[in-house]
Amino acid sequence: MRSMGRRARETEINEADVEVGHRSSAAAGPVAVAVALKRAVEHMGVVRSGRTLLKLNQTDGFDCQGCAWPDPSPDHRHAAEFCENGVKAVADEATRDLIGREFFAAHSVADLAEHTDYWLNQQGRVVEPMVLRAGGTHYEPIDWDGAYALMARHLRAIEPDQAIFYTSGKVSNEAAYLYQLFVRAYGTNNLPDCSNMCHESTSVALAESIGIGKGSVSLDDVHKAELIVIMGQNPGTNHPRMLSALEIAKQNGAKIIAVNPLKETGLVRFKNPQTARGMVGPGTGLADLYLQVRTNGDLALMQAIGALLLEWGSVDRDFIEQYTSGFEEYAAALGELDWDQVLESTGLPREEIEQAARMFQASSKTITCWAMGITQHHNAVATVKEIVNVAFLQGNIGKPGAGLCPVRGHSNVQGDRTMGIWERVPDHFLDALQAEFGFDPPREHGLDSVASIKALNDGDAKFFMGLGGNFVSAAPDTSVTEDAMRSADLTVQVSTKLNRSHVVHGREALILPAMGRSERDLTGGRLQKVTVEDSMSAVHTSHGPLKPASPHLRSEVDIVCSLALATLGESSPVPWARFRSDYSEIRHSISRVVPGCAAFDEKSSQPGGFVLPHPPRDTRTFPTDAGKAMFQVSPLEVLQIPEGKLVLQTIRSHDQFNTTIYGLSDRYRGIEGGRRVVFLHRDDITSLGFEEGDLVDIISEWKDGSVRQVPTFRIVAYDQPRGCAAAYYPEANPLVALEHTAEGSNQPAYKSVIVHLKKSDGGRTGVVHTSDAHSYARGDETKRYIEPPQLS
């Protein structure tokens, strides 16, 4: 066991050594294959890599820990059914580097907190439960029974609504179902999850428009579409296997419109490493039209396309009359559309917008895809509704090759919501829980992620548990979030590896090491399997091939059941011990409680699993209050950028997944050796008085007068509209005010932060107080944000 961590990765370089190189002309291809396999062998070795990767995304194997893009049908899967970033995720989890009590004895929490997120992750798998006692300086070992007793003691000492239970999108359906069951049996609906920060705006908008907060397409629909519109999404980095589906669609004659401020390689050309054309040929051109819309201009763009389709009479009158409501109001609103505002908001010439609309007009089967470039704005809910409105206009829902395709980020984030991980779960779900188990679950809505941070800061919450994830780094307003976590009496993180949330902690803290997706689960003395749900509502099983990294690891199901027994006792009406010993018993309960999950155990065990029902997709029925698909009217807002300022969006690099940083390369954008970069249009660099390569501080100002600042970012010229900027998260998350959220969903608006730049002097980070409007916004020193990155 490498209990002292990865010392070879501690070497640091100066931020000035960050390289800006040639940007790759196509996503994937032989370079991706080489990078992926090299990473796998480095972390897992040759034999372990082969055993693991050949089971990845196979019907007799395990589901990728990465994105939620669906798998092909069992008869169309490759032996190597994975992408470069999927390999990185597997290698990161299945690494042979392990850390235990010797590592934590050698590193105080204060020492660990000085290191970057990248360094923390690189140390290896945590192999035994660890506790940080009140007033302690080091994590120390604790046995599992002691850990459960500590949690139970804290939970019994407070009111249920003073506890917060966060969930990551990697958690299995079985663990998620039990987690929400325990939390509600305990007495609260405080179930924030990563959906609150990624696709909450989608869920709200779709529920109001079509009656269900999920997309309406299948993978086969993508292959059959005539037009695919990709908005606010970078599939080459965030959902690489989507490129294979787009390649098939292109070969079948589809056109593609890309809508994104940044010119992304993965939207331009794809070199499929599983084909000869991809390995040695030119690859496949993807975007037929690339609309580099100004950040936050997507709502105006979709309103303009809708207005043109109405003007040209390119609408499906039968669908509108039979299945929708609100069309007259929508058409009247677009009849008064202000084209000057459209052009200002989008930054596009009218000719390009009309070209896009003609492509909509020419298509009888259109799919619109979107991700966080759409959902993380103040007007995100309205923007998603405009996407849906255009689909309604042409009847592009409930027919083959057409529909709505929100692309979820994490592998089971949609499944967790299906299983009841939601602070505002509907009453019918609670009624089913009550009928199944005989207790009355709480009915009052709980706290989402933003509200949880505020509750901790205000002293209204005392306990925080994270079932997976890295809440501190994922959340906005980093200094405020850190203060919130430090105010808790106990913070608990169920994790596989170290992250920022372990070193920003409550007065007491626990790290509970969980089995990974790639590991064999023999809980209860039998081989167990779990299930996941992808972005397109397909549910299938997952069971890892590898021996667990340590005999002290526990499955997520085991951890939840054991905590429930310790907290609620043997007299609980829920059969926790039976659920822990046989996961099929959990699935039988799911089949009786969760809508659409009848015969859940049997159907999910079939090769390829099964698809959950979706009334709009399946029968063109819409479970809204009106029983119809609802056109929605939203005002056109133009994001005003003051002179000398920019609108910044946070983005991922190609060497990370969510907050997990695998390396310091962003190959498709030409960045090597560091992450503290800010991408600007070349003319903006000049007009603002800088040169490419300058080091600058990025500063945001919120309407309450508070100022947030992150220092020492290198300017990189990049192809995007004037007035726009981009920087990686979590490094840029301190700039996002906690109150800067989407109207209607309360989702943090990471993609539209007004900022300005100044020459760097190596200053502070966090919140600089110029107002006492919010007492919880303090300016603590956080040295790690100005620490130079490490060489990989």
Side-chain angles (χ1 to χ4, degrees), residues 734-757:
L735 297 167
V736 186
L738 191 64
E739 297 82 5
H740 185 30
T741 60
E743 186 176 358
S745 69
N746 207 33
Q747 179 174 339
Y750 301 96
K751 294 293 189 288
S752 52
V753 183
I754 303 298
V755 301
H756 66 275
L757 311 178

Side-chain angles (χ1 to χ4, degrees), residues 260-262 264 295 646-652 669 675-681 698 713-716 718-721 723-729 732 735 750-751 753 755 757:
N260 202 64
L262 299 173
E264 300 284 20
T295 301
L646 305 159
V647 57
L648 178 136
Q649 61 170 319
T650 64
I651 58 175
R652 294 181 192 170
R669 298 190 185 107
R675 294 176 49 82
R676 299 187 70 80
V677 297
V678 56
F679 298 102
L680 305 178
H681 190 284
I698 310 175
F713 279 67
R714 179 168 300 285
I715 293 177
V716 174
Y718 203 87
D719 188 357
Q720 63 184 315
C724 298
Y728 301 130
Y729 73 85
L735 297 167
Y750 301 96
K751 294 293 189 288
V753 183
V755 301
L757 311 178

Side-chain angles (χ1 to χ4, degrees), residues 104 106-116 119-120 132 136-139 486 500 502-505 783-784 787:
F104 289 100
H107 295 278
S108 68
V109 178
D111 173 38
L112 293 174
E114 293 297 313
H115 289 286
T116 62
W119 185 91
L120 291 172
L132 180 67
T137 59
H138 290 68
Y139 277 103
R486 293 187 182 109
R500 184 61 47 193
H502 301 134
V503 298
V504 179
H505 52 77
K783 177 181 176 182
R784 68 183 175 280
E787 180 183 69

Side-chain angles (χ1 to χ4, degrees), residues 445-496:
H445 289 170
L447 302 176
D448 63 15
S449 292
V450 168
S452 294
I453 296 168
K454 292 180 179 180
L456 286 164
N457 263 307
D458 293 342
D460 296 330
K462 305 289 187 182
F463 174 97
F464 179 95
M465 179 174 178
L467 186 60
N470 179 7
F471 185 78
V472 169
S473 289
D477 219 343
T478 306
S479 292
V480 175
T481 298
E482 289 178 343
D483 285 347
M485 298 299 281
R486 293 187 182 109
S487 70
D489 291 336
L490 177 66
T491 52
V492 181
Q493 306 294 339
V494 179
S495 309
T496 57

